[in-house]
Amino acid sequence: MLNKQVTIKDVADAANVHPSTVSRALGGQPEGLVSRATVARVRAVARELGYEPNALARGLKINRTMTIGMLIPDLANTIFPPIVRGIEDELGKHGYTLLIANTDNDHEREAELLGVMARRRVDGLIIATARREYPLLGRMLSANLPVVLVNRTADHPPLSSVAGDDREGIALAVRHLAQLGHTRIAHLAATREITTGLIRYQSFLNTMESLGLEVDHDLITWCPWFTEEYGALAFEELLDREVDFTAVVCANDRVAMGVYDVAAARGLSIPGDFSVVGYNDTPFAPRLTPPLTSVRVPYYQIGVKSAELMLAAVAEDGETVPVSIRLGPELVPRASSTAPAGVPAARPRP
C-alpha cells in the first residue's frame, strides 16, 4: 500500500495555521505577509512531514513554469561552478529550477539555445555570455523575458547585472606590485569585446598613471580570450619584444597559467626573473608552482545576488528599474609568485 502524499492541508493542520499561510511561507515572497517566526515554524513542519511542494501546480496557478534559463560561455571555466551554485541555492528557496546551457562562445549555438529556452517557456534568463555589443539581447527583451547579466555587462540596452568590481581588483594587483618596488609592469590583457576585458585593461592604465608609473604600451599584449593557450601566446609575444619588465598582471588565472608554461619552457624563474599576479583566485591558483598571487572575487555571492534580481524581475513581470551590483574583490598575496623588484631579467636574444 502506497503512503498517503502529504498535502498543504496536512502541513497547515500540524502547524496550526491556514493553508494559505503555508503557501505563502513556502512560496517565493513571504516577507511582509507572514512573520519570520511563522515562516520558520511552517518550514520546519513541512520538513518533518516530508512535504514536497508541487511546483508544476504552483506554476500553472501563476502562469509560470518555475524555471530560469542560464547561458554560460564555457563550463570548463572554474569561475562558473560557484556562480551557478549561488544561483541554484537562491532560486531553490523559492521553488525555481535552473536550466543551464553551454554556448562554447559560439554565436550560432547561442542563438539556437536561446530559441530552446524560449520554447521551454522559461520565466527569465540569466546571461553570462554577453558582449558589450550583444544583438541577441534584443531578441530576449522582445520576448518579454526578464534578463539579468552575471559577471558581464552590456553597453546597450541597460540591464540589471551583477559582477565583481574589476576596476578595484586590477587596482589591487597593480598597487601590490608597486608596493614591492616594481615600476616596469606588464599586462596580459584580454578581449575588449566584453566588459570584463575592457574594464580590467582600463583599470591597469588608470592605476599605473595614478601611481605615477609609466605606461609602456610595449609591455601590453592581448589575448583573444581568457585561456591558457592565448596567455602563452601573448607572453611569448611580450618576451620576443625584448623589453625589460619585472612583473606581469594577467587578465585572469588561466592567462597566468600560460605565463607559467612559457616561463618553464624558456628557463625563466617566477618570481626570480619576474613576479606574476592573476585574477579570480581559482582553485588551482594555490596549487601552481610557485603558488599564484591572485585577486579573489566572491563568485558564489554574485550568483546569489543575480538570482535575487531575477526573482524580483519575475515577480514584477520584468517591470523593474535596471540595477547594477558590483561586489568587492580582495587580493590574496602568495609571496612565492611575487617578490620585491630586483634587476630586470635579461631577455633571450636571437
Side-chain angles (χ1 to χ4, degrees), residues 329-345:
E330 63 175 309
L331 183 77
V332 182
R334 297 183 175 98
S336 48
S337 80
T338 56
V343 178

Side-chain angles (χ1 to χ4, degrees), residues 186-209:
H187 181 39
L188 269 59
T191 174
R192 284 172 284 191
E193 291 185 8
I194 63 173
T195 50
T196 303
L198 176 64
I199 291 173
R200 292 178 190 176
Y201 165 67
Q202 290 176 333
S203 178
F204 175 81
L205 299 182
N206 294 338
T207 306
M208 290 284 288
E209 291 171 354

Side-chain angles (χ1 to χ4, degrees), residues 71-333:
L71 297 183
I72 293 177
D74 180 9
L75 278 174
N77 191 326
T78 54
I79 73 168
F80 288 117
I83 291 176
V84 170
R85 176 59 63 86
I87 293 171
E88 287 185 321
D89 286 353
E90 188 62 24
L91 292 180
K93 294 177 186 177
H94 304 277
Y96 281 83
T97 299
L98 184 67
L99 301 180
I100 303 170
N102 180 53
T103 71
D104 289 325
N105 282 312
D106 184 306
H107 292 290
E108 292 184 3
R109 176 173 171 78
E110 194 166 339
E112 179 184 343
L113 289 170
L114 176 60
V116 171
M117 294 289 186
R119 288 191 293 274
R120 288 180 175 268
R121 297 180 59 245
V122 295
D123 296 325
L125 283 168
I126 297 176
I127 306 296
T129 58
R131 287 167 165 76
R132 292 170 54 210
E133 297 296 333
Y134 192 56
L136 281 178
L137 284 179
R139 288 180 54 187
M140 299 174 197
L141 297 176
S142 66
N144 294 318
L145 277 176
V147 175
V148 172
L149 303 181
V150 61
N151 202 47
R152 298 284 187 270
T153 60
D155 290 352
H156 302 288
L159 291 167
S160 289
S161 63
V162 186
D165 187 342
D166 286 329
R167 286 187 175 85
E168 176 59 18
I170 289 294
L172 288 172
V174 175
R175 287 198 293 263
H176 170 68
L177 292 170
Q179 288 166 0
L180 291 172
H182 295 277
T183 59
R184 298 286 294 170
I185 303 174
H187 181 39
L188 269 59
T191 174
R192 284 172 284 191
E193 291 185 8
I194 63 173
T195 50
T196 303
L198 176 64
I199 291 173
R200 292 178 190 176
Y201 165 67
Q202 290 176 333
S203 178
F204 175 81
L205 299 182
N206 294 338
T207 306
M208 290 284 288
E209 291 171 354
S210 71
L211 294 173
L213 301 178
E214 177 190 3
V215 175
D216 184 345
H217 288 275
D218 284 337
L219 296 182
I220 299 173
T221 55
W222 291 91
C223 305
W225 199 252
F226 300 82
T227 66
E228 302 93 304
E229 294 79 9
Y230 286 132
L233 290 173
F235 190 57
E236 287 180 335
E237 178 185 343
L238 176 65
L239 291 176
D240 291 342
R241 290 178 183 177
E242 301 181 4
V243 289
D244 289 328
F245 59 91
T246 62
V248 184
V249 173
C250 298
N252 76 347
D253 289 353
R254 294 177 70 183
V255 169
M257 285 182 66
V259 171
Y260 273 53
D261 291 343
V262 173
R266 296 206 182 190
L268 296 172
S269 168
I270 301 171
D273 290 308
F274 56 88
S275 294
V276 182
V277 179
Y279 202 102
N280 289 331
D281 195 37
T282 41
F284 57 76
R287 295 178 171 84
L288 292 176
T289 304
L292 176 66
T293 291
S294 189
V295 176
R296 178 175 295 165
V297 181
Y299 284 116
Y300 178 84
Q301 289 303 320
I302 286 174
V304 170
K305 290 295 183 184
S306 63
E308 290 176 350
L309 290 184
M310 176 54 66
L311 290 166
V314 170
E316 298 295 330
D317 292 323
E319 299 295 326
T320 55
V321 177
V323 176
S324 178
I325 297 176
R326 298 293 172 267
L327 301 185
E330 63 175 309
L331 183 77
V332 182

Side-chain angles (χ1 to χ4, degrees), residues 23-31 43 58 93-96 311:
S23 295
R24 293 189 181 109
L26 300 180
Q29 305 287 334
E31 295 83 356
R43 290 179 176 176
R58 178 174 171 237
K93 294 177 186 177
H94 304 277
Y96 281 83
L311 290 166

